[in-house]
Amino acid sequence: MEVSKPHAILLSSPGMGHLIPMLELGKRLVTLHSFEVTIFVVSSGTSPAESQTIQSSMSPKLCQVIELPPVDISSLVESKAKVVANLTVMMREIKPALRSAISTLKVPPTALIVDLFGTEALVIAHEFKIPKYVFIPTHAWFIAFSIYVPILDKVVKGEYVDQKEDFVIPGCRPARPEDVVEPMLDRTNQQYYEYLRMCKEFTMGDGILLNTWEELESSTLAALRDDKLFGDINRPPIYPVGPILRPNGSAGSRSHELFDWLDRQPSESVVYVSFGSGGTLSNEQMTELAWGLELSQRRFIWAVRQSTVRTGDGSFFITGKGGDDLSSNLPEGFLIRTQGLGVVVRDWAPQVDILSHPSVGGFLSHCGWNSALESVTNGVPMIAWPLYAEQRLNAALLTEELGVAVRSKILPSKGIVGREEINMTVRRIMADEEGHGIRARVKELKHKAEEALSEGGSSYHSLSQFTQNILMSMQKSPSP
Ligand code: UDP
């Protein structure tokens, strides 16, 4: 019987950190495996960067992208609910719209892939009788930790952060209490219960795709597949298919001024500073960071988003709503004194293009996993400045396991990192002997990442296996 072209449905939750890898995964399925792909994007409704990213990523238009308008969830979340609760409730409420949108598609779907916040939509795959997968746009240690959380939930008494001992995850690096993911910080908050549910649902699909690669996390991936270690937890096949990132040169509109300036700087001399799409700093921390950069006398590009300057409240959904007067939130005279030494970029920076520029030699990052991978794949060492979500876990992985980052003594999410320490940390990565070692290590990983993605490489192979499984399921139950 003739089997038609596979048609994968991808579902992305709001947030650039989820949207970008989902768009790129879709493109890879089209270009490497001749899939037809429809991507449903649940929009945050507040970020102009989202639609710009969809536009620039889909030129040429390889996938059909359909935006599902945000739903009003105000009556469904507790007043003190945080980001994860907002995201998961929004993804739950979007299900009817998603179901009816899928049923109107001209080409019937053959597989559903949801991101980590979309696991409740897996039931829709049952209704359409198609296989279902979860794409976790982060690393293997995160998934090992997360699927173990329901066990921790039973045995740990009191708050996780108050525990004296590290959390032992079978066969994997233990996690420190201070590094647990954001929803685990308060076990009474709605977002903890939502996260606990997600942790159980991650394993309910026909497979888990991860934005990592075999060689980067070989021992964690081996542990995850070992029945002796994780036998009590249901685990579908795991496909490490990363790094899945936007290609360099695709960050959208480029400011000629910024890149002309970068072109004039010496090789690997510039530190890029950014806290991702949602990271915010208090005004006090902004001041210390500005002084720290100035004291270091290293060249820098600082992506200061206006909301960061204005609100400092850690909100994920607020973007670009601040005022215009940047200088009022920076130390007096900072912009004048650092003229020539550094560039302050407002709002959205063309990050992948900055990190791939040969003049950039360090990245002070909030450690969002996309940012971390963009740094690694461009051979740029990092200063880890984790703020929220799973960023503290990422920072521990990057510094202690992979050896591609340094971090401050005090966790930035716990207190103010002073100007002297920032100055010293920047020097550690940009000038000291320690920095040379880290730079060599990150360049090694950059090559390993390229190998993993190339034909015959581990991630290429893993994505091929994944697509083969979808083709096989189509042969078993061909569409009418
Ligand atoms: N990004 C960008 N310009 C910015 C801020 C972020 O291009 O000014 C991109 C960045 O390159 C990355 C994504 O947005 O691909 C952010 O994802 P990440 O996982 O690093 O962090 P999140 O924003 O989800 O916390």
Side-chain angles (χ1 to χ4, degrees):
M1 186 177 307
E2 199 189 317
V3 176
S4 54
K5 204 174 179 182
H7 180 196
I9 304 295
L10 277 53
L11 174 66
S12 168
S13 56
M16 298 300 287
H18 318 140
L19 174 63
I20 291 172
M22 210 39 133
L23 293 171
E24 294 304 321
L25 175 65
K27 283 160 67 179
R28 239 169 248 195
L29 290 172
V30 171
T31 52
L32 298 179
H33 298 283
S34 307
F35 270 49
E36 179 156 346
V37 169
T38 301
I39 308 176
F40 288 100
V41 176
V42 183
S43 154
S44 71
T46 54
S47 168
E50 279 177 3
S51 16
Q52 279 158 21
T53 299
I54 294 172
Q55 252 179 19
S56 61
S57 298
M58 286 304 153
S59 161
K61 190 170 178 289
L62 296 169
C63 314
Q64 184 184 13
V65 180
I66 300 174
E67 285 188 60
L68 297 171
V71 278
D72 180 10
I73 54 163
S74 49
S75 62
L76 302 171
V77 286
E78 293 169 5
S79 54
K80 59 174 187 164
K82 298 203 172 135
V83 174
V84 169
N86 279 294
L87 282 173
T88 50
V89 172
M90 190 181 283
M91 294 306 280
R92 183 176 306 144
E93 294 306 305
I94 212 79
K95 270 192 305 187
L98 176 67
R99 186 180 285 117
S100 72
I102 295 178
S103 57
T104 59
L105 293 173
K106 285 200 190 84
V107 181
T110 47
L112 175 69
I113 306 172
V114 302
D115 72 17
L116 76 173
F117 290 105
T119 49
E120 280 204 37
L122 291 174
V123 294
I124 294 179
H126 284 292
E127 295 162 22
F128 287 91
K129 298 190 175 50
I130 53 175
K132 53 197 183 300
Y133 301 89
V134 182
F135 175 36
I136 309 278
T138 181
H139 47 89
W141 189 40
F142 169 83
I143 198 72
F145 179 73
S146 296
I147 65 174
Y148 206 65
V149 165
I151 293 176
L152 294 178
D153 180 64
K154 291 204 180 95
V155 297
V156 175
K157 303 280 171 259
E159 289 295 347
Y160 294 103
V161 275
D162 296 335
Q163 304 303 308
K164 299 282 173 282
E165 306 277 325
D166 292 352
F167 302 114
V168 176
I169 314 162
C172 302
R173 158 174 289 276
R176 278 188 297 254
E178 63 183 15
D179 291 337
V180 295
V181 300
E182 181 90 6
M184 290 172 76
L185 295 180
D186 175 3
R187 289 176 86 168
T188 64
N189 194 283
Q190 186 181 2
Q191 71 171 355
Y192 176 64
Y193 295 101
E194 293 288 354
Y195 174 63
L196 203 53
R197 175 189 55 73
M198 282 163 59
C199 291
K200 293 173 190 159
E201 289 176 356
F202 287 155
T203 58
M204 288 181 179
D206 298 297
I208 299 175
L209 293 110
L210 292 174
N211 202 358
T212 188
W213 59 101
E214 287 287 345
E215 296 75 14
L216 190 75
E217 294 189 87
S218 51
S219 58
T220 305
L221 286 162
L224 266 170
R225 292 175 179 132
D226 189 337
D227 287 340
K228 289 201 281 305
L229 295 171
F230 276 90
D232 293 342
I233 302 171
N234 172 50
R235 282 150 306 128
I238 289 174
Y239 302 97
V241 295
I244 294 209
L245 296 169
R246 276 179 303 173
N248 294 337
S250 65
S253 61
R254 287 168 62 114
S255 136
H256 290 296
E257 226 177 299
L258 176 70
F259 286 91
D260 287 351
W261 179 81
L262 264 177
D263 287 345
R264 292 196 300 275
Q265 309 312 312
S267 171
E268 298 182 340
S269 68
V270 177
V271 187
Y272 170 56
V273 181
S274 169
F275 302 98
S277 56
T280 61
L281 299 183
S282 66
N283 284 344
E284 190 185 356
Q285 186 62 82
M286 285 279 293
T287 304
E288 290 305 308
L289 180 53
W291 275 114
L293 288 173
E294 190 177 338
L295 285 171
S296 79
Q297 283 300 298
R298 301 285 139 183
R299 296 170 177 84
F300 66 86
I301 295 175
W302 185 359
V304 181
R305 293 171 55 252
Q306 288 173 354
S307 59
T308 310
V309 176
R310 283 284 149 168
T311 68
D313 68 356
S315 171
F316 194 82
F317 284 98
I318 301 168
T319 54
K321 285 192 179 155
D324 284 327
D325 188 7
L326 197 58
S327 55
S328 67
N329 298 94
L330 294 166
E332 210 179 324
F334 172 78
L335 291 175
I336 295 167
R337 285 194 306 276
T338 56
Q339 242 172 30
L341 185 69
V343 178
V344 171
V345 179
R346 285 169 183 236
D347 287 327
W348 199 248
Q351 180 162 305
V352 282
D353 295 350
I354 292 173
L355 284 170
S356 61
H357 194 285
S359 300
V360 173
F363 182 13
L364 192 159
S365 168
H366 75 311
C367 299
W369 192 242
N370 293 288
S371 294
L373 289 183
E374 285 159 7
S375 209
V376 167
T377 53
N378 283 298
V380 176
M382 273 167 274
I383 296 166
W385 192 290
L387 294 174
Y388 61 99
E390 88 300 5
Q391 292 154 16
R392 286 175 291 264
L393 275 186
N394 301 353
L397 183 75
L398 294 164
T399 48
E400 290 148 37
E401 177 127 344
L402 303 178
V404 294
V406 295
R407 64 196 301 185
S408 53
K409 284 194 208 84
I410 182 166
L411 253 183
S413 53
K414 277 199 166 167
I416 300 293
V417 186
R419 60 191 74 179
E420 262 315 327
E421 186 168 6
I422 294 168
N423 168 21
M424 295 310 292
T425 317
V426 169
R427 284 168 179 274
R428 272 171 75 193
I429 205 89
M430 298 301 283
D432 293 357
E433 199 54 39
E434 184 187 10
H436 296 316
I438 293 176
R439 198 172 298 281
R441 172 89 187 120
V442 73
K443 288 193 171 155
E444 209 180 292
L445 292 187
K446 168 187 155 96
H447 294 305
K448 295 264 185 238
E450 283 161 3
E451 276 170 20
L453 287 181
S454 61
E455 208 170 330
S458 61
S459 292
Y460 186 95
H461 176 69
S462 197
L463 191 63
S464 302
Q465 265 190 333
F466 165 72
T467 54
Q468 281 305 316
N469 287 345
I470 293 179
L471 290 172
M472 269 157 50
S473 77
M474 286 170 69
Q475 275 160 357
K476 277 189 211 145
S477 50
S479 54

